Amino acid sequence: MKTGFRLWFDEIRNMRIKAKLFLLITITMAVSSSISLVGLQIGFSMYDQQIYEKSSQVLNLSSTLIENELNKVERLTFSIMSDEQIQQHLIVMNSNESDYIRIQSRAKLVDRLVQYINSETYISAADITDVNGNSYSSGNLTTLSPERKELIQETSDRGAGSLGWVNPDAQDYSLIATRQIRSSDNLELKKLGSLVLHVNLDKMVNQYAREAVTRDGELIIVSKGTLVYPRSVSMKSLISEDSPIGSSLRGFRILEQDGEKYFVSHIHSDYLGWTYYNTLPFQTIFYNLTLMKNWMIAAFLISFFLLVGFGMAVARSVTRPIEGLISNMRGLQIGDLENSELPPIAPISQQMDEVGLLQRTYRMMIVRIQELIKENYTKQIIIKETEFRSLQAQINPHFLYNTLESINWISKMNGQKQVSQMVESLGFLLRSSISLKQDMISIEDELKLVQHYITIQKVRFEERLDFQLDVPDALRGYCIPKLTLQPLLENAIKYAVEVMLEPCIIHITGREEGDSVLLLVEDNGPGIDEAYLEQILTGERQSRGTGIGLKNIDERIKLSFGEEFGIQVENRTDGGARITIRIPMTKRG
């Protein structure tokens, strides 16, 4: 099992990114859709249960209200039966009294009956029959068939004073409540007659079962296989069944009749033995629910395929640039990097995501590599040329040094002290400039070069050159690129001393500033034109002469110590120029 899972995992890991993204989106959509459908089904089940609970509650309320009214009818029959006036009048009607007395008793009996009936809403008629078969009625009494009269009489006699109910039939839609009227004098319980009340069941059900019957639904009352209400129904199977499902007093089910489904809830009452049914067409209550379910399933399927298509488009948009990048890399792998073609420049409309940035970075890398190759190639050529020229220049340094020593010796022999000093200084300068052993020297050694250079220039300019040096001994041990100060003195002599008739002061000072050493070369000459100076520093114009330029000195310091160091050239407020050299406090070793 572990080996199979490992193989399956390795197979997925080695899939292409496009396939991985497609698989991820598909699995995500499938899981989310399954969870949503399960939740939807649970919601529908809860909705079904709510429908049943609501239907059952309404049906229970309606049946309770109807039976409460029937209890009122039962109490009414008891009140009429036990009414002393009615019993006295019936005794008179059953005796051999004169016709006049009997007519009076008859009128009073009917009046008393009318008083009872007029206060009742659902009693359509009332009828009292004495033992001689004479009838005394009130209300809208319908004509009954002999069979129904006989059934009512049998029910009344069978009750022997208790209430009996006769369900409606096809000719008479009234519910009949009947009971014997017995004499209560001395508890002799002698039969005086029969009471029959006609209950308007349609009116009662319409009043109290309005909540249970929807526009397309139907309330059905069945008693022992006999339809009580309404007069006719389409659900014949409900009438013919002996009892509701099982032995439960309430419940619900779905029945099919004539190809149509019905949602049927029922409740059984022990008071009259009636079973109340609330039938609702399944299509009516579940139409919107079924429609919504189908729409949601269709929406899930459509969104699934749309998201899968969108995922494939996203995967292609991610992998296509990567595949192009891989193709270019393979081309560079087997080709010439220097002469290889660059990937096309990314259009402005290209996506600015990680893949787009990767493409642009790759192209910039190739461009930079090609530039570095060309730059390195150019530097190698320059180095070769420099070495060749250096070899040409180094004809025989020892011969030159020996010649200068001979001139120095002859000058001393002839008492030419000034010539001797110039020859010694020139020899020192030549040895220092030709020597390639050290690129970095101490400030002390650099100042020695400066002093030998000034010795030569003092012979030339005499009193016109006033050189001053003020560098503390604590700073002279720090390192500085060789030939940094001497070119600056050469520039000061060229642009200040040579153009002035009066003495020119050149001053070199040094001081500390934080972790840096500042060396200042100042003169009181005419200064430097700002535009000309800007062109020299930017490299747009070469400095006059064959010496080392300001830009070259600045670049050497920056390459040696960093971009925060270098030189700064400015004009003094009181005349002349000032060049500030900033170097770190670095010592050899």
Side-chain angles (χ1 to χ4, degrees):
M1 182 65 182
K2 183 177 181 181
T3 304
F5 175 78
R6 183 67 181 176
L7 293 174
W8 179 77
F9 178 76
D10 291 339
E11 184 177 355
I12 293 179
R13 187 177 60 181
N14 296 327
M15 292 172 63
R16 299 172 68 88
I17 296 179
K18 180 167 58 178
K20 289 180 181 178
L21 290 174
F22 176 75
L23 181 62
L24 176 62
I25 294 174
T26 302
I27 293 176
T28 303
M29 279 299 301
V31 172
S32 59
S33 299
S34 300
I35 294 175
S36 300
L37 289 175
V38 170
L40 186 65
Q41 188 61 38
I42 294 174
F44 289 154
S45 300
M46 295 176 64
Y47 180 75
D48 294 345
Q49 186 67 25
Q50 290 292 329
I51 290 177
Y52 158 66
E53 293 292 340
K54 179 65 176 177
S55 177
S56 178
Q57 291 174 4
V58 172
L59 187 62
N60 183 49
L61 177 62
S62 301
S63 62
T64 301
L65 293 175
I66 291 173
E67 294 192 354
N68 286 338
E69 291 297 326
L70 296 180
N71 280 325
K72 291 181 180 179
V73 173
E74 181 176 2
R75 289 193 295 272
L76 179 63
T77 58
F78 180 81
S79 297
I80 296 175
M81 176 194 71
S82 59
D83 188 276
E84 294 182 358
Q85 296 183 25
I86 292 178
Q87 288 194 1
Q88 291 298 325
H89 294 314
L90 282 176
I91 292 173
V92 172
M93 298 304 297
N94 291 330
S95 66
N96 295 322
E97 296 289 341
S98 63
D99 293 338
Y100 175 75
I101 295 176
R102 293 180 62 188
I103 292 174
Q104 283 184 336
S105 296
R106 177 187 181 92
K108 292 179 181 179
L109 176 62
V110 172
D111 290 340
R112 187 61 176 168
L113 187 60
V114 169
Q115 292 177 7
Y116 279 105
I117 300 305
N118 286 341
S119 61
E120 299 297 326
T121 305
Y122 307 109
I123 305 298
S124 59
D127 181 65
I128 295 178
T129 304
D130 58 20
V131 293
N132 297 322
N134 298 315
S135 178
Y136 315 100
S137 61
S138 173
N140 188 15
L141 188 64
T142 58
T143 303
L144 302 178
S145 62
E147 294 81 5
R148 187 164 179 78
K149 289 182 178 181
E150 183 178 354
L151 176 59
I152 293 173
Q153 189 62 45
E154 290 178 358
T155 303
S156 177
D157 295 340
R158 187 170 56 250
S162 62
L163 181 65
W165 295 93
V166 179
N167 295 327
D169 61 6
Q171 288 76 30
D172 182 19
Y173 302 126
S174 298
L175 176 65
I176 302 298
T178 181
R179 70 193 310 166
Q180 287 184 354
I181 300 176
R182 292 175 173 263
S183 176
S184 58
D185 290 340
N186 300 322
L187 296 178
E188 59 183 4
L189 300 180
K190 178 181 178 182
K191 179 180 178 182
L192 300 178
S194 300
L195 172 65
V196 176
L197 296 182
H198 296 255
V199 180
N200 191 337
L201 187 60
D202 288 343
K203 187 175 181 181
M204 184 183 297
V205 172
N206 288 335
Q207 177 67 28
Y208 292 108
R210 193 174 302 160
E211 293 287 337
V213 182
T214 62
R215 183 182 59 183
D216 299 320
E218 186 177 19
L219 178 67
I220 300 175
I221 302 176
V222 178
S223 176
K224 298 179 182 179
T226 302
L227 180 63
V228 177
Y229 178 88
R231 300 174 184 179
S232 63
V233 294
S234 58
M235 302 290 292
K236 303 296 184 181
S237 58
L238 297 178
I239 303 175
S240 59
E241 66 182 3
D242 294 335
S243 63
I245 296 176
S247 58
S248 60
L249 296 179
R250 64 179 64 187
F252 75 99
R253 53 179 164 166
I254 297 176
L255 297 178
E256 187 170 351
Q257 179 89 20
D258 299 331
E260 185 175 358
K261 292 182 178 180
Y262 291 87
F263 180 84
V264 180
S265 59
H266 69 270
I267 183 170
H268 184 73
S269 174
D270 292 331
Y271 176 64
L272 297 178
W274 289 359
T275 303
Y276 298 83
Y277 294 93
N278 185 16
T279 63
L280 299 172
F282 190 86
Q283 189 69 13
T284 300
I285 59 174
F286 291 99
Y287 174 78
N288 293 329
L289 191 63
T290 304
L291 183 64
M292 183 176 65
K293 184 187 298 184
N294 295 334
W295 273 108
M296 293 189 70
I297 293 175
F300 275 121
L301 293 176
I302 293 173
S303 60
F304 175 78
F305 289 111
L306 287 178
L307 287 176
V308 168
F310 175 74
M312 294 178 64
V314 171
R316 281 196 297 268
S317 68
V318 172
T319 57
R320 188 183 295 113
I322 296 178
E323 291 173 353
L325 196 59
I326 293 174
S327 178
N328 290 330
M329 289 181 177
R330 288 176 178 171
L332 294 178
Q333 182 180 359
I334 61 177
D336 185 4
L337 178 62
E338 182 179 355
N339 300 319
S340 62
E341 294 183 359
L342 293 173
I345 298 177
I348 298 178
S349 61
Q350 186 180 12
Q351 66 268 25
M352 294 298 293
D353 56 5
E354 290 82 356
V355 178
L357 293 176
L358 180 62
Q359 271 196 322
R360 283 185 287 276
T361 304
Y362 170 73
R363 188 180 190 283
M364 294 172 61
M365 180 188 69
I366 297 299
V367 171
R368 183 58 180 159
I369 290 175
Q370 291 182 343
E371 290 177 353
L372 291 175
I373 290 175
K374 293 178 181 179
E375 183 180 349
N376 184 59
Y377 179 72
T378 303
K379 287 182 178 180
Q380 292 296 328
I381 293 176
I382 293 174
I383 291 173
K384 295 296 182 182
E385 291 179 352
T386 304
E387 290 176 353
F388 178 71
R389 290 177 182 177
S390 177
L391 290 174
Q392 287 180 333
Q394 295 175 4
I395 300 172
N396 195 340
H398 293 286
F399 172 74
L400 180 59
Y401 298 152
N402 291 334
T403 302
L404 292 174
E405 288 293 333
S406 298
I407 296 173
N408 184 27
W409 181 76
I410 294 172
S411 299
K412 289 182 178 180
M413 290 292 294
N414 294 328
Q416 298 291 330
K417 185 178 180 180
Q418 194 175 34
V419 175
S420 176
Q421 291 177 349
M422 289 182 65
V423 171
E424 288 180 355
S425 297
L426 179 60
F428 186 85
L429 289 173
L430 287 175
R431 285 187 180 92
S432 298
S433 61
I434 293 175
S435 176
L436 300 175
K437 294 181 180 179
Q438 295 180 350
D439 292 330
M440 303 291 293
I441 61 176
S442 64
I443 295 177
E444 176 69 28
D445 293 337
E446 182 71 10
L447 291 177
K448 289 180 181 179
L449 285 173
V450 169
Q451 289 172 343
H452 282 289
Y453 179 75
I454 291 297
T455 299
I456 297 174
Q457 296 297 334
K458 288 282 287 186
V459 175
R460 177 184 175 190
F461 294 103
E462 297 180 348
E463 290 82 5
R464 291 173 58 193
L465 175 59
D466 182 5
F467 176 72
Q468 300 175 6
L469 181 63
D470 183 15
V471 177
D473 293 338
L475 303 180
R476 296 193 177 198
Y478 296 116
C479 292
I480 190 173
K482 188 170 63 175
L483 296 177
T484 298
L485 291 173
Q486 186 272 332
L488 299 180
L489 286 174
E490 184 178 351
N491 286 335
I493 291 173
K494 180 181 293 294
Y495 296 112
V497 179
E498 290 182 356
V499 299
M500 294 176 62
L501 297 177
E502 63 274 8
C504 179
I505 301 174
I506 299 178
H507 193 193
I508 297 180
T509 58
R511 70 171 186 269
E512 294 184 12
E513 186 177 279
D515 295 333
S516 303
V517 176
L518 299 183
L519 299 174
L520 289 80
V521 181
E522 300 176 289
D523 63 69
N524 61 343
I528 306 175
D529 182 67
E530 297 288 346
Y532 179 71
L533 177 62
E534 182 69 23
Q535 293 176 351
I536 291 177
L537 292 177
T538 57
E540 297 179 6
R541 178 180 295 185
Q542 297 294 328
S543 60
R544 295 192 294 269
T546 58
I548 301 175
L550 297 176
K551 182 174 176 57
N552 183 280
I553 297 172
D554 186 61
E555 288 179 350
R556 287 167 57 209
I557 295 176
K558 282 180 166 50
L559 287 173
S560 299
F561 302 117
E563 291 294 328
E564 64 270 23
F565 302 101
I567 67 173
Q568 179 182 357
V569 183
E570 58 186 345
N571 289 317
R572 299 169 57 190
T573 57
D574 54 351
R578 178 188 294 118
I579 301 177
T580 304
I581 303 171
R582 180 183 292 271
I583 59 174
M585 293 181 177
T586 304
K587 293 186 177 181
R588 294 180 59 85

